[in-house]
Amino acid sequence: MKVSYNWLSESLDLSAVSPEDLAEQITLTGIEVDSVSEPAKELKQIVVGNVLTADRMEDSDHLNITTVDVGEEDPVQIVCGAPNVKAGQKVVVALPGARLANGMKIKKSKLRGVISNGMICSLDELGFSDSVIPKHSEDGIYVLPQDAETGADALPYLGLDDAFIELDITPNRADALSMRGVAFEAGAILSQTPKFTGVNLNEETSDSIENYINVSVENTDDNSVYKMRVIKDLVVTESPLWLQRKLMHAGIRPIDAVVDVTNYIMLEYGQPLHAFDYDTLDSKDILVRRAKGSETLVTLDGQKRELNQDNLVITNGRVPVALAGVMGGENTHVTAHTKTVALESAVFESSLIRKTAQSLNLRSESSSRFEKGLNRETVQQALDHAAALIASLGNGQVVSGTAQIESEQPVYQKVTTSADKINRSLGTDMTVHDLESIFDRLGFESSVTTELVEVTVPPRRWDITIEADIIEEVARIHGYHKLPSTLPHSESVPGELTYAQKITRYTRHFMESCGLGQAISYALTTTEKAKAFAYSGKEPVELDWPMSEEHKALRQSLVSGLLDNVQYNVARQSKNVSLFEIGRVFNQTDSTLPSETTHVAGVMTGALVENSWQESHVEVDYFAVKGIIDEWFDTLGVREAITFVPVKDYSEMHPGRTAKVFWNEQLIGMVGQLHPSMAKERDLNETVLFEIDMEPFINNEHDTIKFKSIPKYPGTSRDLAFVVEETVLHEEIIKVMHASGGNWLKSVRLFDLYQGENIEDGKKSLAYSLSYLNPDATLKEEEVTKDFEQVKLALTEQFGADIR
């Protein structure tokens, strides 16, 4: 945001503070100042000249010999190559000895033998960018108004006697993307209340808005406020010099009085506006809705845009005439022939404007403001001010009334805290009077006592909603540089790890011992990646003011970030990659803040064992990764309560090689192979991954592993082989064996799995070793045999097992 010092002084008394001092104070209160520029320091001896004569130079197709009155005793002769120079014009003249913006020094010279005593200047020679020069001055000199005083300093006419403070505005301080917002900020710094010129709006009472426009909105969530005014009997002309120079210094090219006023109001209020040529709308009905899949729109830049359902459009009831908040349509824009203007002021849903601007690569001053938020209290005021200005500059009339849809009113947010909380957080000892003074400077209504601080925040500061925001405002205005350096006060605690820290540290060491390297991924990602691999079924938490679309949503799973890291490594010829991460994931809740839970996740691809003289090549597969988390569960002492259930409802996972993980019938994660189509998209070979919610184990502090002494009585074992349908799960067999195996069955281990020759299709042969032990006595053969037979019977009855 480029802030004009002179423009700011229209609402504040800046006589006691220089531009540099003001910039320093703004920086100290938290808004970064990139630079302060004063063009007048670079430009010398630039005056207003009156062109008396302009004659074509002989033997030249573009040079003119002019005589110019520059306020001296005699006119001076200047050779000028501009095609638009002519007698009677007031122009900008650089006299001999002058210095221009590009460092050029003007001297008396001869061009084709003709003496030239100076230069008639164009805007680019005075430091203006080509992108902001008005069209009528693009290829020539800039012509000043006739009332410009001959011989006077030309810099004030062009606003070059001004100073400009370049602010680097963060997304949460979008209120400072307007001159009024900056005025409130500077007023708080200087202990002043800004004063703004009122709007003098004269309506044509004999004509009503109902005769011209009816507005409607399909979904008020997309467009909560939409207002229109009509200005009729208008003559579209060039803007006056004061308006042109304000726009040019803000980086906006002047077009005509109507368009320039909408841009001026945007800079003044932070409220983007759009002007339609009413007659080209060909309808009284204005409908705001989402675009339909087959619709197109030719925008002001002449490009035909293919629209989609994420694009919010303004329609004439039938077809789109503008992209809401981004750009108008080519067929409805204001021209020199426009007689009636329909002027729009609105509040559009920020995420829709952001998506449209990004997808169509149409980011603009208007779209950036809609994306970051608007002051809803001044939507009508900005519209009225613009309508009055347009009517005044074009000798038009403002039709009485406003066509509007307004589904919500401006909110005055109430935030409470306490003086003790503020002082404790900042390390200060501010009194009630000190706090009242700070809130008065900010323009916030407040009720401050020693016990309670209640602040009413106006809609222009929509970034302030919670207690921490109020504390930050107090710190800013009090002065960050005035805050004391203090140590936090807290009771000393024993220096030991908490149970959660112990579990987390152990898990990290365990994963590293299994050959996985630790990765740390960013918690913010795209909405699509935040949803991927999540099993909560909820929409991700999105930021109101993201740094970019790549960092918009909080992750609901660690896997997406790990896959990005694996893909990055594989693309750089590191084929065998095994990574894990322990981090937080975030989910929506019924309360204001999302829930945060600790997960551990891992991704493995490539070879588990590489070829060598001693070992054969082994690829990573589902069972290798399942074995890692199985062992982890076992060392945590929770393996007996863990079950794996095959699933096919993860779209990102292989439907036949994926399982959900349950602990005491509570879903805690999943393990499986990445879907082949997704692996192909990422140029990965077979990739296996897992993700486990660690919270149940972190909160399971009292269910610790207990030591049992080695029994002094010997145990025994039995081997059991049988054939079952291949759809029968190992987990189900284990459950049945333990349920029917008697009191002395201690463990069951699968040691053989076979399918192939001599085994019927659709079946598999399994072999288990069953271990029995009585810790208090020697087992008898008949006891073990009885229990073993019960296991066989149970398998036969429940699975139709063919005992071998």
Side-chain angles (χ1 to χ4, degrees), residues 200-211:
N200 185 20
L201 176 64
N202 296 314
E203 296 181 313
E204 176 56 53
T205 56
S206 63
D207 205 354
S208 174
I209 190 70
E210 285 80 12
N211 299 326

Side-chain angles (χ1 to χ4, degrees), residues 69-267:
D69 181 3
V70 293
E72 299 177 352
E73 289 186 13
D74 298 315
V76 297
Q77 178 175 281
I78 298 176
V79 178
C80 177
N84 62 331
V85 66
K86 60 182 179 181
Q89 292 175 332
K90 293 291 182 70
V91 295
V92 181
V93 177
L95 298 175
R99 186 172 67 244
L100 300 183
N102 58 7
M104 178 188 295
K105 291 185 178 180
I106 305 301
K107 301 177 181 178
K108 288 184 180 181
S109 60
K110 281 187 178 182
L111 293 174
R112 297 193 178 187
V114 179
I115 295 175
S116 181
N117 294 295
M119 174 189 289
I120 301 177
C121 298
S122 63
L123 289 179
D124 63 337
E125 290 162 338
L126 297 171
F128 288 92
S129 168
D130 289 342
S131 63
V132 304
I133 296 175
K135 288 190 176 182
H136 61 82
S137 302
E138 279 183 318
D139 300 320
I141 58 172
Y142 186 77
V143 181
L144 297 172
Q146 284 299 311
D147 59 359
E149 182 183 349
T150 301
D153 185 359
L155 299 185
Y157 289 98
L158 298 173
L160 293 172
D161 61 334
D162 201 352
F164 302 97
I165 303 172
E166 188 78 37
L167 302 181
D168 188 3
I169 306 297
T170 52
N172 66 309
R173 287 304 309 273
D175 61 289
L177 285 173
S178 68
M179 289 302 301
R180 293 199 174 199
V182 175
F184 279 112
E185 180 71 12
I189 294 170
L190 302 173
S191 299
Q192 296 183 31
T193 301
K195 298 177 181 178
F196 306 109
T197 305
V199 178
N200 185 20
L201 176 64
N202 296 314
E203 296 181 313
E204 176 56 53
T205 56
S206 63
D207 205 354
S208 174
I209 190 70
E210 285 80 12
N211 299 326
Y212 293 85
I213 292 290
N214 296 311
V215 300
S216 58
V217 174
E218 188 174 74
N219 186 346
T220 54
D221 290 337
D222 294 343
N223 180 198
S224 57
V225 179
Y226 192 85
K227 297 172 179 280
M228 262 196 168
R229 274 197 174 276
V230 170
I231 304 98
K232 66 177 185 178
D233 302 333
L234 194 66
V235 177
V236 179
T237 61
E238 286 184 9
S239 302
L241 181 59
W242 68 267
L243 179 51
Q244 288 193 28
R245 68 174 175 241
K246 282 189 174 182
L247 295 184
M248 288 191 293
H249 286 302
I252 299 174
R253 183 197 297 271
I255 304 297
D256 56 53
V258 175
V259 176
D260 292 352
V261 165
T262 62
N263 285 325
Y264 166 72
I265 294 299
M266 178 186 69
L267 295 173

Side-chain angles (χ1 to χ4, degrees), residues 576-651:
N576 306 324
V577 184
S578 298
L579 297 176
F580 80 95
E581 180 172 4
I582 301 173
R584 294 277 192 170
V585 300
F586 307 82
N587 286 289
Q588 297 275 15
T589 63
D590 295 332
S591 61
T592 304
L593 297 176
S595 67
E596 298 184 37
T597 54
T598 301
H599 284 206
V600 58
V603 178
M604 301 178 70
T605 188
L608 191 65
V609 178
E610 291 194 88
N611 261 335
S612 70
W613 65 273
Q614 193 176 20
E615 297 176 306
S616 299
H617 181 88
V618 178
E619 285 287 326
V620 170
D621 60 10
Y622 169 85
F623 296 104
V625 175
K626 179 177 178 291
I628 291 174
I629 59 173
D630 246 345
E631 183 68 19
W632 178 61
F633 289 138
D634 195 32
T635 57
L636 292 179
V638 298
R639 179 62 187 91
E640 291 183 0
I642 297 292
T643 54
F644 295 85
V645 179
V647 292
K648 298 183 179 181
D649 54 355
Y650 281 102
S651 60

